[in-house]
Amino acid sequence: MKLQKPKGTQDILPAESAKWQYVEGFAREIFKRYNYAEVRTPIFEHYEVISRSVGDTTDIVTKEMYDFYDKGDRHITLRPEGTAPVVRSYVENKLFAPEVQKPSKFYYMGPMFRYERPQAGRLRQFHQIGVECFGSSNPATDVETIAMAAHFLKEIGIKDVKLHLNTLGNPESRAAYRQALIDYLTPLKETLSKDSQRRLEENPLRVLDSKEKEDKVAVENAPSILDFLDEESQSHFDAVRQMLENLGVDYIIDTNMVRGLDYYNHTIFEFITEIEGNELTVCAGGRYDGLVAYFGGPETAGFGFGLGVERLLLILEKQGVTLPIENALDVYIAVLGEGANVKALELVQTLRQQGFKAERDYLNRKLKAQFKSADVFAAKTLITLGESEVESGQVTVKNNQTREEVQVSLETISQNFSEIFEKLGF
């Protein structure tokens, strides 16, 4: 049997992982400006953490979860999304306590798992970056978080992205709208797709964001949630819209957008771009004021978003965006002769300890092959170290781009290579 990676997974090799590290580092830097701190939760949770919060009738729970019973007969699932685990952690660790500063702002990064048909930008093991903010029902929190997502997407280089905005209102507004939608769709039930016929019974709002052609036709004249908002819900949504406009964040009202998770209320949003004629969601999220209490904590407002790293990188590639990744070596040491082996090891180590990215030859190759390696590594400087250089204590350091050279002692390199590096133009 040929051993290969499981279907729907990928090996992220060094050339690609550099892009991942850049995106993750960039996200950390942006989130830090908004006073978010990192939280890391287990990649598996008790089944109920996901099923009860995400929704028993959602596709994630009914079709896509990787769940199993462990050796202690506990029902476990690999996490399919990031919000529920973070909320569970927030409650379990009593981060709602009075001594914890509010609002509490967290971000996370890591692998998620869903059993779905693999395609470009969507794998069974995928990676998500997300944020969660607890303790503020202020519409300004909605807007700040959306603006942070917009800030990140703009700065990382995503082009032609549009913010789609909607509200699900408070529970009372949502319940009234749910009934109106059932009344509208029930006479059309036989025209719906099989999945949407099931959704009509279990979660009718999900019919609105179905991608099936027959469902899109059926909901063309469906009632709008905006007609069922009570005063509180309308006021919240109006405030969000006004503050987005104040910040210069353009948006499109999309009343058919409901998001695929049951825990949302009030503001929901998606950032969408178009690639090769297809709309792709880059980032999405919203408000979930009931989720902390659902996990046994006090009534606590929540707002957050998530974005898929694979999809983000795919969009950047399709849009021709090159990430500014620095892979070049600072120094490459070409080693000539067995007598230089030990000194080369000492030299490369002292360069690294001074903060330089350095490499040396270990394969006793001819100088031509070593010089070629220096070029492949895009080495900025090149040191040739042979037995005669070891004996004399003097080496030539060459700018590998301009070919400018300086003659220096090994002792000088060991003590202060920065001065030499600067002299050669770096």
Side-chain angles (χ1 to χ4, degrees):
M1 175 184 173
K2 187 177 180 181
L3 296 178
Q4 295 180 311
K5 62 184 179 295
K7 184 177 181 180
T9 64
Q10 64 174 335
D11 297 316
I12 304 167
L13 301 178
E16 285 299 307
S17 68
K19 298 175 186 176
W20 285 66
Q21 290 168 9
Y22 178 84
V23 168
E24 290 164 353
F26 194 88
R28 284 190 168 94
E29 180 57 37
I30 294 292
F31 298 160
K32 190 190 302 181
R33 297 183 204 175
Y34 291 78
N35 200 31
Y36 278 76
E38 186 174 11
V39 61
R40 303 187 186 197
T41 64
I43 65 169
F44 59 90
E45 295 277 355
H46 288 288
Y47 178 84
E48 292 76 17
V49 168
I50 307 299
S51 65
R52 290 170 55 192
S53 57
V54 170
D56 288 317
T57 64
T58 60
D59 286 351
I60 290 176
V61 172
T62 59
K63 298 179 180 180
E64 298 170 359
M65 291 231 293
Y66 280 91
D67 63 293
F68 57 93
Y69 287 87
D70 69 9
K71 293 178 180 179
D73 204 33
R74 291 170 287 255
H75 198 180
I76 299 295
T77 181
L78 300 182
R79 62 185 184 192
E81 60 98 39
T83 297
V86 174
V87 175
R88 190 268 312 147
S89 176
Y90 179 82
V91 173
E92 183 175 342
N93 292 287
K94 295 182 171 57
L95 298 178
F96 50 77
E99 62 270 20
V100 180
Q101 186 64 38
K102 306 296 187 301
S104 303
K105 297 179 173 182
F106 306 104
Y107 72 86
Y108 61 86
M109 301 179 182
M112 312 288 164
F113 305 85
R114 294 185 191 179
Y115 188 85
E116 53 187 348
R117 184 170 62 85
Q119 52 188 290
R122 178 177 290 179
L123 298 173
R124 290 176 176 174
Q125 177 178 314
F126 62 100
H127 296 76
Q128 197 170 77
I129 295 173
V131 306
E132 314 295 347
C133 177
F134 299 105
S136 170
S137 57
N138 189 333
T141 294
D142 306 32
V143 175
E144 177 189 81
T145 313
I146 293 170
M148 180 170 70
H151 184 178
F152 170 78
L153 295 174
K154 180 181 178 182
E155 293 294 320
I156 200 100
I158 296 288
K159 304 169 188 172
D160 304 321
V161 66
K162 295 178 181 177
L163 169 61
H164 288 233
L165 188 71
N166 194 19
T167 178
L168 296 176
N170 58 19
E172 293 76 21
S173 297
R174 181 169 175 157
Y177 179 59
R178 184 181 188 278
Q179 187 56 54
L181 198 57
I182 291 172
D183 293 343
Y184 169 80
L185 288 172
T186 298
L188 303 173
K189 182 175 180 179
E190 296 306 316
T191 70
L192 299 175
S193 67
K194 285 285 190 290
D195 273 346
S196 284
Q197 288 182 29
R198 174 180 57 80
R199 289 171 184 145
L200 178 57
E201 304 295 329
E202 299 171 347
N203 189 352
L205 271 69
R206 291 296 317 284
V207 179
L208 293 172
D209 64 358
S210 169
K211 301 296 186 284
E212 300 298 330
K213 189 179 296 184
E214 58 266 44
D215 297 335
K216 287 184 176 182
V217 171
V219 302
E220 276 181 357
N221 298 309
S224 167
I225 180 69
L226 302 183
D227 295 328
F228 293 84
L229 299 179
D230 61 17
E231 186 176 348
E232 177 205 346
S233 300
Q234 188 68 59
S235 175
H236 190 98
F237 194 47
D238 288 346
V240 167
R241 294 175 62 182
Q242 184 60 59
M243 283 187 268
L244 284 171
E245 290 165 15
N246 291 347
L247 292 184
V249 179
D250 295 330
Y251 61 86
I252 298 165
I253 299 294
D254 184 351
T255 57
N256 281 353
M257 179 180 67
V258 297
R259 304 290 298 125
L261 308 173
D262 281 358
Y263 50 63
Y264 286 116
N265 65 294
H266 286 300
T267 312
I268 56 173
F269 71 94
E270 294 186 8
F271 282 97
I272 296 174
T273 190
E274 192 171 293
I275 299 294
E276 298 171 352
N278 298 312
E279 284 192 342
L280 288 180
T281 298
V282 193
C283 170
R287 179 166 284 282
Y288 49 87
D289 290 343
L291 201 50
V292 171
Y294 191 75
F295 275 88
E299 289 290 339
T300 305
F303 197 96
F305 68 73
L307 62 90
V309 180
E310 286 88 349
R311 178 166 289 192
L312 180 73
L313 288 168
L314 173 68
I315 292 169
L316 288 169
E317 180 186 340
K318 294 290 187 182
Q319 292 186 340
V321 178
T322 302
L323 298 176
I325 296 167
E326 174 62 73
N327 284 324
L329 277 179
D330 294 320
V331 193
Y332 186 86
I333 301 174
V335 185
L336 191 60
E338 186 59 36
N341 186 41
V342 174
K343 180 54 73 175
L345 182 62
E346 294 172 0
L347 189 60
V348 76
Q349 192 67 5
T350 191
L351 286 166
R352 291 164 178 163
Q353 289 169 349
Q354 291 178 61
F356 292 97
K357 185 178 179 182
E359 186 58 282
R360 55 153 289 186
D361 181 71
Y362 289 93
L363 305 179
N364 298 320
R365 297 174 297 168
K366 293 181 179 179
L367 278 180
K368 185 177 180 181
Q370 295 187 50
F371 292 162
K372 186 174 181 181
S373 288
D375 291 338
V376 170
F377 287 130
K380 296 173 184 175
T381 61
L382 176 65
I383 297 173
T384 302
L385 183 67
E387 293 172 356
S388 60
E389 283 81 10
V390 172
E391 188 174 333
S392 68
Q394 297 287 317
V395 293
T396 299
V397 184
K398 179 190 292 185
N399 181 319
N400 205 34
Q401 297 161 5
T402 66
R403 302 304 178 188
E404 180 185 354
E405 299 179 354
V406 292
Q407 192 84 10
V408 296
S409 69
L410 290 171
E411 185 178 358
T412 301
I413 293 175
S414 297
Q415 291 177 352
N416 186 10
F417 188 70
S418 295
E419 190 176 309
I420 302 163
F421 202 62
E422 190 175 327
K423 188 178 289 186
L424 287 171
F426 299 106

